[in-house]
Amino acid sequence: MKIYKFGGASVKNADAFRNLAQIVLNHGGKSKLLIVVSAMGKTTNALEQVFDQAFHNRDYNDTLQQSRVYHYEIVQALFPDAGHPVYEELEHLFSKLNDTLQTLNRQAGYDQLYDQTVSFGELMASVILHHFLQLQQLTNTWIDSRKYIQTDTTWREAKIDWNWTERLIKRDLPPILEQQLIVTQGFLGGTNNGQTTTLGREGSDFSGAIFAYCLHAEAMYIWKDVEGLLNADPKYFTETVRYPEISYQETVEMAYYGASVIHPKTIKPLANRSIPLYVKSFLNPEGEGTKICDCRYQKLAPAYIIKENQCLISFSVKDFTFISEKNLGTIFNALSELRLKINLMQNSAISFSVCTDCHAQRLEKLLLTLQDEFIIHYNTGLTLYTIKNYDTNSINKTIEGKQVLLEQRTRTTFQFVSK
């Protein structure tokens, strides 16, 4: 029993779909296999834009039409028969999406409506993949992950009801997997009253881990456009090193600091059941990739992690007394309630600073909440650099030429925030 997760780049065009089918045929076709797929290409970004325009009563038709054309061009290349059922199903999904956009109940709030809208990307990709694999003689069942991954109503970052989720998956999916493949969506969950939730951006990895955990899978595979888990993002660094094998703990820390290859919540359910995770390249399926498991090693190459669009916020008490534990509790409570994740924090005698992902609306609410108690300064548009397993050379070459606003060093990790 294996879980394959394919991201948006794996299904960005017709050739990518054909390549995916070949991978399943060559590497997974003889085993019990559940496939988790993300929205195609940059569809999630496009739907986010469409939703934002609709929510703020701006014209979204051009943006939606571009996404529609993109999907239909791929479908036409994969399914020459214009009477194939995939056309009707795709049309139904676009019609339902348009109905959702036209009937937004803004009193429900931005985040809740976001989940109901942006989720269509995964539904469309999975329907197309289901039919295309059938065309390649890879018999499969399409399932709606929202009926199995049960969550609360923490919109855009839903929390899993593990007991109920496992019960539903164990009840329904093993008999299907005995007979054929399963195709489902990443990123999506559902509430007990049938509303759609999402698991956070790039949450398809986490979806795969949930299914792997509940099915006691032999292994999970994430198929990427890189050769495995690298020590740096090739978009920013010309020289990168692939880790042949790396531990769960090290990967969790890298994901926490912002490494983009693995979603931060992916590792825990796999580690709890000792399920190895393989990061493989869909461009070179025969390559070794990276195995993430419970392993030991002498020394790792430094890992370079970059998080952009950061905000540095500094708090000081208005009467210039020391920052106390009570003050910190007030700040932490406000950050928690507004779901502003702390990526770095540091305190001095009279101030406390945090670096968070920048969310304009949440930042504005934070300022309104705490402005009576604290003097608050902030900078936006910053970048957070993290070096795991650093040495002097790795620090010098990363920090050179940058204006550093804050830096911090522990035994294994060096971080700094810069303009």
Side-chain angles (χ1 to χ4, degrees):
M1 170 65 217
K2 295 177 182 176
I3 307 294
Y4 277 10
K5 182 264 174 174
F6 289 97
S10 310
V11 287
K12 66 180 181 181
N13 55 37
D15 284 341
F17 271 94
R18 295 184 185 105
N19 183 59
L20 187 160
Q22 201 60 46
I23 289 172
V24 172
L25 196 61
N26 294 342
H27 297 269
K30 295 180 182 178
S31 61
K32 300 172 188 175
L33 183 64
L34 183 144
I35 299 171
V36 173
V37 67
S38 300
M40 294 154 52
K42 300 296 182 182
T43 295
T44 301
N45 291 345
L47 292 182
E48 284 181 338
Q49 185 179 349
V50 167
F51 166 68
D52 192 73
Q53 289 168 330
F55 187 86
H56 292 103
N57 287 312
R58 297 196 298 268
D59 182 17
Y60 59 83
N61 288 302
D62 286 349
T63 317
L64 181 59
Q65 181 61 16
Q66 289 171 15
S67 183
R68 182 189 180 91
V69 168
Y70 169 68
H71 281 78
Y72 271 93
E73 284 179 347
I74 292 174
V75 167
Q76 287 162 1
L78 296 174
F79 303 90
D81 177 8
H84 194 283
V86 71
Y87 287 93
E88 184 179 348
E89 291 186 37
L90 187 59
E91 182 59 35
H92 173 71
L93 286 170
F94 268 107
S95 176
K96 197 171 178 182
L97 169 58
N98 199 42
D99 289 345
T100 302
L101 291 166
Q102 289 179 349
T103 58
L104 293 176
N105 175 16
R106 288 167 181 78
Q107 290 183 341
Y110 190 93
D111 288 351
Q112 181 176 348
L113 296 172
Y114 171 101
D115 281 2
Q116 314 315 306
T117 307
V118 174
S119 50
F120 278 90
E122 275 68 22
L123 296 171
M124 292 171 186
S126 62
V127 163
I128 296 169
L129 180 60
H130 158 65
H131 283 292
F132 184 65
L133 292 179
Q134 295 280 67
L135 210 60
Q136 307 305 306
Q137 309 305 313
L138 288 163
T139 307
N140 69 92
T141 296
W142 181 92
I143 68 164
D144 188 339
S145 65
R146 297 173 297 180
K147 298 184 184 304
Y148 292 96
I149 296 180
Q150 297 293 288
T151 75
D152 68 359
T153 55
T154 306
W155 310 110
R156 299 184 70 170
E157 201 170 347
K159 296 178 175 61
I160 309 300
D161 182 336
W162 283 97
N163 290 334
W164 190 233
T165 296
E166 185 171 11
R167 191 178 309 165
L168 292 172
I169 288 174
K170 280 184 171 179
R171 182 192 70 187
D172 291 354
L173 302 194
I176 300 173
L177 289 163
E178 289 290 341
Q179 304 297 322
Q180 55 192 254
L181 310 176
I182 287 177
V183 171
T184 192
Q185 312 80 37
F187 183 51
L188 309 186
T191 65
N192 58 13
N193 63 352
Q195 294 194 81
T196 300
T197 56
T198 63
L199 308 181
R201 281 302 303 262
E202 312 301 331
S204 294
D205 293 353
F206 186 33
S207 300
I210 295 166
F211 282 109
Y213 176 89
C214 295
L215 291 166
H216 293 260
E218 169 195 336
M220 176 176 164
Y221 291 74
I222 294 178
W223 296 90
K224 306 281 289 185
D225 56 357
V226 291
E227 290 291 332
L229 186 60
L230 306 179
N231 74 322
D233 189 332
K235 288 187 294 187
Y236 300 103
F237 295 86
T238 54
E239 296 179 8
T240 59
V241 175
R242 176 180 62 86
Y243 298 116
E245 190 173 74
I246 192 167
S247 69
Y248 293 124
Q249 181 176 344
E250 193 74 26
T251 309
V252 164
E253 291 188 26
M254 289 170 62
Y256 172 82
Y257 289 123
S260 59
V261 174
I262 307 294
H263 186 276
K265 295 180 181 176
T266 303
I267 299 301
K268 186 177 185 298
L270 300 177
N272 285 349
R273 294 227 154 119
S274 299
I275 300 169
L277 172 61
Y278 295 87
V279 181
K280 302 268 284 181
S281 169
F282 61 76
L283 301 173
N284 178 24
E286 307 302 329
E288 289 184 17
T290 298
K291 181 180 181 182
I292 301 169
C293 57
D294 187 10
C295 59
R296 300 287 182 270
Y297 29 74
Q298 291 295 315
K299 185 175 174 60
L300 284 173
Y304 303 88
I305 303 158
I306 296 175
K307 290 199 79 170
E308 297 180 319
N309 192 31
Q310 297 293 289
C311 180
L312 183 61
I313 314 167
S314 297
F315 306 88
S316 55
V317 183
K318 288 192 170 183
D319 61 3
F320 297 101
T321 55
F322 296 146
I323 287 281
S324 67
E325 287 76 7
K326 184 178 180 181
N327 297 142
L328 293 176
T330 302
I331 295 168
F332 282 132
N333 283 336
L335 291 166
S336 176
E337 286 176 8
L338 293 168
R339 288 159 54 198
L340 282 166
K341 177 179 173 290
I342 300 173
N343 299 319
L344 175 67
M345 59 183 172
Q346 191 171 97
N347 68 288
S348 66
I350 60 171
S351 72
F352 177 67
S353 298
V354 295
C355 179
T356 73
D357 296 339
C358 196
H359 298 279
Q361 291 176 324
R362 297 178 192 178
L363 175 60
E364 185 178 348
K365 288 180 181 178
L366 180 73
L367 298 177
L368 289 171
T369 303
L370 298 178
Q371 64 185 4
D372 291 340
E373 295 182 63
F374 300 95
I375 300 168
I376 306 173
H377 300 283
Y378 67 92
N379 301 81
T380 58
L382 307 179
T383 303
L384 172 63
Y385 293 82
T386 303
I387 309 174
K388 280 277 292 146
N389 307 305
Y390 65 88
D391 54 27
T392 302
N393 182 55
S394 63
I395 292 175
N396 290 341
K397 76 176 185 180
T398 308
I399 210 167
E400 183 180 2
K402 296 180 177 67
Q403 182 181 349
V404 178
L405 302 183
L406 183 149
E407 69 175 65
Q408 191 173 98
R409 184 185 313 227
T410 68
R411 291 176 183 174
T412 60
T413 305
F414 180 81
Q415 292 183 284
F416 67 94
V417 182
S418 78
K419 284 188 175 180

